[in-house]
Amino acid sequence: WGTARQYRLTARVAGPDVPGSLDRLLSAWRDHLAGQPDLAGPDTSAILSWPSRDVAGLATLLHHGLQPLAVLAARPISRLGAPAEVPDGVRVRRAVLDDLAAVVRLEHEVVRYDANFVAVIDRPWTADALAAEAEQALAVPEPWIWLAERERDGEPIGVLHAQPPAAAGWIAPLTSRAPVAYNLLTGVSATQRGGGIGAALATRFHQAAE
């Protein structure tokens, strides 16, 4: 989704002087990266995840030239609240393999939109990558992909693609809760946004996760 070459740092910082410790760690990382080949390439990034509640390190991150590109949010089942109602004239259902083209079209629309915010890159092969991923996800009896469609003509207008705990192990270390499911991608067609379709899709995902 992002740059082709990514250098990632998992920071473990403790003690009474978090800003100072983080400053020394980032300085050491900078020196390490300086020895890597082709570091200045246009398709390269240095990425660090930092807990948003740990505000002591934020000024240090900015001082080293890092800037926020994405936010990861963890939501416990106990805090989901009331299910969202499906808007009138819309139905939400699990996608099946025959929906592959619609799923890819809607997912690619999300990628193209997110590319405006730099962290995601729409590449010439993005649609092929989305198709391969969605085809694999749709091959199981109860896929964790949901479609919203207009009742009058069956036109797909929204999608939510999630990963069950068995596939979400890569994200699990970023929260103390377990097990973890992951909302991989959610999108609603531009002309249909703001009407509750996204919330209805999220409700189906929450119900499956619960």
Side-chain angles (χ1 to χ4, degrees):
W1 298 117
T3 56
R5 174 176 292 181
Q6 300 181 11
Y7 295 93
R8 291 183 174 267
L9 176 67
T10 301
R12 300 287 187 231
V13 181
D17 183 18
V18 169
S21 297
L22 182 60
D23 179 67
R24 289 188 292 275
L25 176 63
L26 291 175
S27 295
W29 192 35
R30 179 195 60 211
D31 294 341
H32 168 74
L33 292 177
Q36 304 303 309
D38 300 325
L39 186 67
D43 211 358
T44 302
S45 61
I47 300 171
L48 177 146
S49 295
W50 187 259
S52 59
R53 293 180 181 176
D54 196 348
V55 298
L58 298 182
T60 305
L61 294 171
L62 293 172
H63 175 73
H64 280 264
L66 294 166
Q67 56 184 322
L69 287 179
V71 176
L72 297 173
R75 189 175 187 184
I77 289 292
S78 60
R79 298 183 186 176
L80 293 183
E85 297 292 333
V86 179
D88 292 339
V90 176
R91 58 173 168 258
V92 175
R93 61 172 177 83
R94 283 186 189 266
V96 297
L97 195 54
D98 286 347
D99 297 312
L100 179 61
V103 169
V104 172
R105 174 179 60 80
L106 288 165
E107 290 189 347
H108 200 180
E109 185 177 341
V110 175
V111 172
R112 285 194 294 264
Y113 178 78
D114 285 353
N116 291 300
F117 306 100
V118 182
V120 173
I121 300 172
D122 181 20
R123 301 183 184 276
W125 55 87
T126 293
D128 292 337
L130 291 169
E133 183 178 55
E135 186 173 18
Q136 183 178 10
L138 291 169
V140 301
E142 290 190 328
W144 277 43
I145 300 179
W146 289 266
L147 278 178
E149 56 189 16
R150 289 196 300 250
E151 289 184 335
R152 70 172 186 268
D153 57 8
E155 174 68 15
I157 53 177
V159 65
L160 189 150
H161 186 163
Q163 293 177 322
W170 65 276
I171 197 72
L174 294 184
T175 177
S176 60
R177 300 297 182 112
V180 174
Y182 184 68
N183 183 346
L184 188 65
L185 180 151
T186 303
V188 176
S189 295
T191 59
Q192 305 294 323
R193 293 174 192 155
I197 296 172
L201 285 163
T203 288
R204 293 299 178 90
F205 164 51
H206 292 156
Q207 291 170 341
E210 186 174 11

